[in-house]
Amino acid sequence: AAPTRVFAFRDARWAPDPVLEPSAAVRSPQPAPLVIDNGSFQTRAGWACPDPAVPAEPLLRFRSLAARSRGARGGAGAETQVGNDLGSPEPLRWLLRSPFDRNVPVQLELQELLLDHVFQRLGVSSQGCVDHPIVLTEAVCNPLYSRQMMSELLFECYQVPKVSYGVDSLYSFYHNRRQNWPCSGLVISSGYQCTHILPVLEGRLDAKNCKRINLGGCQAAVYLQRLLQLKYPGHFAAITLSRMEEILHEHSYIAQDYIEELQKWRCPEYYEDNVHKMQLPFSNKLLGSTVASEEKQEKRQQQLRRLQELNARRREEKLQLDQERLDRLLYVQELLEDGQMDQFHKALVELNMDSAEELQSYINKLSLSVEQTKQKILQSEVNIEVDVVDSKPETPDLDPLGSEQSLEDVESINEFEPLFAEEQPEVEKPVAAVQPVFNLAEYHQLFLGTERIRAPEIVFQPSLIGEDQAGIAETMQYVLERYSKEQQAILVQNVFLTGGNTMYPGLKARIQKELLEMRPFQSSFQVSLASSPVLDAWYGARDWAVEHMNREEGWISRKDYEEKGGEYLKEHCASNVYVPIRLPKQAPRAAEAPSRASGTGNPGEQA
């Protein structure tokens, strides 16, 4: 028999990021560059420093999300949580905000929150500014407006000395280079929101022939959630996006031949051998089970004790307020007895009283109220002690608070009477154990069969979710056909896969199969996967920053920003291609004036 594949959801909570103390090597002899991989799924940040004392890996990794909760009723202000400080995204799903539209940052106030979090947790302690160079990743063919707003944020808000922009997938390609740089290749980058096909010729991006598919891990998770919610409508709320992402990361794979793989799943033996069962959390208590009468009596006694404690606390608070007011009135009465008439009349006005007789009347009433409250507190304490010592579960006392119980206590207990009335059986009867009619654990299991291949297949067949786009194979063939045969042969010798959405088992074999079908007979090609598809973009940006730390190539200084604008980009081996804004020339105003005068001079001709 095949082993039972039952997997429990981890539902891991995010641990808050600690505030790190930077090494001295980060500050001297010169400030080290700060590398930020600004991804739409996850932000990664760390230092680019050749000193071995500084870790050569990202020190911060958190989801690119922020949640701003409303202020509490008690007067506390709105609280903003970023990244791992959220703990778990599901309780706050309706509050989550991302600065990205697809893979382009457009909400700069949210982007500022993410950068604040990075600088604070990395221990950037410079006053009023960030005096470290910044290496920041951006989207392929990033819109000039987005880069302009990002440069404005970095130079105006954080006062950074210089910044460099690069494409994350090109940084990953730069980090995994197997040949002498510069080299050529075809980069396939699939992330959380988009998939890109990027041709690289002699170490530079050919931006004119880049193609983007608006599908990634996010759309696969939403599609998988929709499939399972239709399959298991009874567990609609338990099928969350976080759990779908966990299934995609750990239980999905790419079929080498999708139709052939579906035919395999039709076989019962293949289904039983390969199905993954995801166990949802559930409770062992059955709806039809009953509780013993002793437990009910104990529960009722606990409820009564809680009511007694609550009312005792209220009496003590009332006693304290009455005592403070009585002390105030007695102090005013002492002013009258001492003959200080001016202060006495002034105090009467503050108390909104007219005469000494009215003051005496209030003092008498408050004194009586204070004494009665003290007696009730003493009586309730005695009743609680008697109830604890003499309570009998078989014959519970329906009035354990005594005959002098206050009206508010009786009303509080009466609220529970409908609950207690049905919990008092006249005769105890033996309760037979209720046997479940089905396996409760199996009822709370999600059986993953063809869903394991259907969700990740959308990047090859977007029509599965109704998207009118080409898949990876068609787009790759379209890009290759825009080059000569010699250039095609060079590009396919280095097909490079990177990005978090390329970590599915079987993706490399699927790309090789698609290339085998589209390439000429007996032609060669080579497909390679990034050593770390998720982190290689950061590693490549760090490699570039260390090599170009003391060069001017690729760095945008503050002077460049002020002279050439925020959209300006200095190109380098892993950057976008800079296309400046070309505004159309306007006609001179002097030439427009005569034409307007001639047009308005004779109204009859216009008519």
Side-chain angles (χ1 to χ4, degrees):
T4 304
R5 293 179 173 85
V6 179
F7 303 89
F9 285 108
R10 291 184 287 107
D11 291 335
R13 291 184 60 84
W14 304 335
D17 295 316
V19 178
L20 303 174
E21 189 68 28
S23 172
V26 171
R27 301 289 308 171
S28 61
Q30 59 182 355
L34 179 57
V35 180
I36 302 175
D37 182 9
N38 193 34
S40 58
F41 178 74
Q42 194 178 58
T43 301
R44 307 164 193 91
W47 301 104
C49 184
D51 195 293
V54 180
E57 58 184 16
L59 301 177
L60 284 182
R61 294 176 61 185
F62 58 90
R63 287 287 297 270
S64 302
L65 297 171
R68 181 174 292 150
S69 60
R70 297 176 182 175
R73 292 185 178 181
E79 181 184 4
T80 302
Q81 296 174 312
V82 176
N84 292 332
D85 292 344
L86 295 169
S88 176
E90 292 308 326
L92 303 171
R93 179 68 68 179
W94 63 285
L95 285 175
L96 295 180
R97 299 291 181 269
S98 171
F100 291 88
D101 181 9
R102 293 291 182 181
N103 60 337
V104 177
V106 293
Q107 300 286 342
L108 270 299
E109 59 275 7
L110 296 176
Q111 183 65 59
E112 184 178 353
L113 291 177
L114 299 186
L115 293 177
D116 285 342
H117 184 78
V118 168
F119 298 143
Q120 178 189 3
R121 299 308 168 95
L122 285 181
V124 178
S125 58
S126 49
Q127 293 295 328
C129 68
V130 177
D131 56 354
H132 293 269
I134 303 294
V135 179
L136 192 68
T137 61
E138 64 177 8
V140 181
C141 301
N142 192 34
L144 296 181
Y145 177 75
S146 176
R147 185 185 302 130
Q148 177 184 358
M149 298 301 294
M150 186 68 73
S151 295
E152 182 178 340
L153 177 65
L154 291 173
F155 283 110
E156 301 293 346
C157 180
Y158 295 107
Q159 305 292 325
V160 299
K162 56 184 180 180
V163 65
S164 176
Y165 297 106
V167 180
D168 50 0
S169 51
L170 297 182
Y171 277 134
S172 179
F173 184 61
Y174 180 77
H175 178 70
N176 288 270
R177 59 190 184 277
R178 294 174 291 108
Q179 309 167 11
N180 294 327
W181 191 265
C183 61
S184 302
L186 189 67
V187 179
I188 300 176
S189 171
S190 184
Y192 189 59
Q193 293 283 359
C194 299
T195 299
H196 292 93
I197 312 295
L198 310 176
V200 178
L201 294 173
E202 297 299 325
R204 296 307 303 271
L205 173 68
D206 185 10
K208 292 183 179 179
N209 294 320
C210 292
K211 294 299 171 185
R212 182 181 73 178
I213 306 169
N214 288 323
L215 291 174
C218 176
Q219 289 75 24
V222 172
Y223 179 47
L224 180 60
Q225 183 186 37
R226 199 165 61 198
L227 288 176
L228 292 179
Q229 284 178 343
L230 288 172
K231 187 176 180 180
Y232 298 99
H235 304 306
F236 193 90
I239 301 174
T240 62
L241 275 177
S242 297
R243 288 173 175 166
M244 297 306 100
E245 290 172 359
E246 183 179 334
I247 290 175
L248 285 175
H249 295 165
E250 300 180 7
H251 303 278
S252 298
Y253 66 98
I254 297 287
Q256 190 167 349
D257 188 314
Y258 183 65
I259 301 301
E260 182 181 341
E261 191 73 16
L262 288 180
Q263 294 295 330
K264 292 181 181 178
W265 279 98
R266 296 182 64 181
C267 175
E269 291 79 10
Y270 186 87
Y271 179 88
E272 290 296 330
D273 292 343
N274 294 277
V275 67
H276 284 197
K277 303 174 184 178
M278 304 302 299
Q279 183 67 62
L280 293 170
F282 68 98
S283 175
N284 284 320
K285 292 184 179 179
L286 297 176
L287 298 177
S289 62
T290 57
V291 185
S293 59
E294 292 81 3
E295 297 180 5
K296 295 180 182 179
Q297 294 293 348
E298 181 62 27
K299 184 177 180 181
R300 184 173 184 274
Q301 291 294 330
Q302 291 176 0
Q303 292 173 340
L304 291 176
R305 290 191 192 98
R306 281 199 298 270
L307 281 176
Q308 291 173 348
E309 293 171 359
L310 178 63
N311 289 327
R313 197 179 307 117
R314 290 177 180 171
R315 289 194 197 97
E316 291 175 357
E317 294 173 356
K318 181 177 181 299
L319 176 62
Q320 183 178 0
L321 293 175
D322 290 346
Q323 187 66 48
E324 291 177 357
R325 185 166 177 80
L326 179 60
D327 294 342
R328 171 67 177 164
L329 297 179
L330 291 175
Y331 171 73
V332 175
Q333 190 178 37
E334 289 178 0
L335 294 177
L336 176 63
E337 295 174 355
D338 295 342
Q340 302 178 15
M341 301 304 297
D342 294 339
Q343 297 183 11
F344 172 73
H345 288 297
K346 185 177 180 180
L348 279 184
V349 172
E350 293 178 355
L351 294 173
N352 199 18
M353 295 184 183
D354 298 330
S355 62
E357 290 78 10
E358 186 177 359
L359 174 65
Q360 186 62 43
S361 174
Y362 270 99
I363 290 177
N364 294 335
K365 290 179 181 179
L366 273 179
S367 301
L368 180 60
S369 175
V370 168
E371 289 299 324
Q372 289 178 351
T373 305
K374 288 181 179 178
Q375 291 296 329
K376 287 181 180 180
I377 291 176
L378 292 175
Q379 183 65 30
S380 64
E381 290 177 353
V382 172
N383 287 334
I384 289 176
E385 293 177 359
V386 172
D387 182 56
V388 171
V389 174
D390 298 336
S391 61
K392 297 180 181 179
E394 294 78 5
T395 57
D397 188 6
L398 296 180
D399 188 14
L401 303 181
S403 58
E404 297 183 3
Q405 185 68 29
S406 66
L407 181 60
E408 59 181 2
D409 299 343
V410 176
E411 290 177 353
S412 300
I413 296 176
N414 287 339
E415 294 178 1
F416 287 89
E417 285 300 329
L419 300 177
F420 297 151
E422 61 183 10
E423 292 180 358
Q424 297 178 8
E426 297 181 359
V427 181
E428 290 190 20
K429 297 180 180 179
V431 180
V434 179
Q435 296 295 331
V437 295
F438 59 89
N439 188 342
L440 196 62
E442 187 172 336
Y443 174 74
H444 288 84
Q445 288 177 1
L446 308 179
F447 285 58
L448 301 179
T450 56
E451 293 83 6
R452 296 177 59 195
I453 61 173
R454 291 178 69 182
E457 182 68 19
I458 64 172
V459 294
F460 289 93
Q461 300 186 55
S463 59
L464 290 175
I465 58 174
E467 291 287 340
D468 188 14
Q469 301 183 54
I472 288 181
E474 294 89 343
T475 308
M476 185 167 50
Q477 184 174 6
Y478 177 81
V479 169
L480 288 173
E481 287 176 352
R482 298 175 71 90
Y483 295 96
S484 63
K485 293 183 178 181
E486 294 77 12
Q487 288 178 320
Q488 289 184 28
I490 295 174
L491 289 174
V492 297
Q493 289 303 318
N494 189 13
V495 178
F496 178 71
L497 308 177
T498 186
N501 205 41
T502 62
M503 298 178 66
Y504 296 114
L507 179 65
K508 181 179 177 181
R510 176 67 174 270
I511 296 293
Q512 289 174 338
K513 172 182 174 293
E514 300 289 351
L515 280 172
L516 185 64
E517 293 178 355
M518 72 177 68
R519 295 298 297 156
F521 179 63
Q522 290 186 343
S523 63
S524 63
F525 56 84
Q526 191 167 359
V527 181
S528 61
L529 181 65
S531 57
S532 177
V534 174
L535 296 179
D536 276 356
W538 188 91
Y539 289 137
R542 178 191 176 277
D543 295 343
W544 183 90
V546 170
E547 293 175 10
H548 296 76
M549 188 181 301
N550 298 316
R551 304 183 196 174
E552 293 297 327
E553 177 191 356
W555 292 102
I556 305 170
S557 64
R558 185 172 185 85
K559 183 179 179 182
D560 295 330
Y561 164 74
E562 293 173 350
E563 291 180 356
K564 303 176 182 178
E567 70 277 0
Y568 177 66
L569 173 69
K570 274 192 177 180
E571 297 182 10
H572 55 87
C573 62
S575 72
N576 279 309
V577 176
Y578 176 54
V579 181
I581 299 178
R582 293 184 176 89
L583 297 178
K585 293 183 179 180
Q586 296 182 355
R589 294 181 180 273
E592 294 178 2
S595 62
R596 290 181 181 176
S598 62
T600 58
N602 191 350
E605 292 181 1
Q606 291 181 4

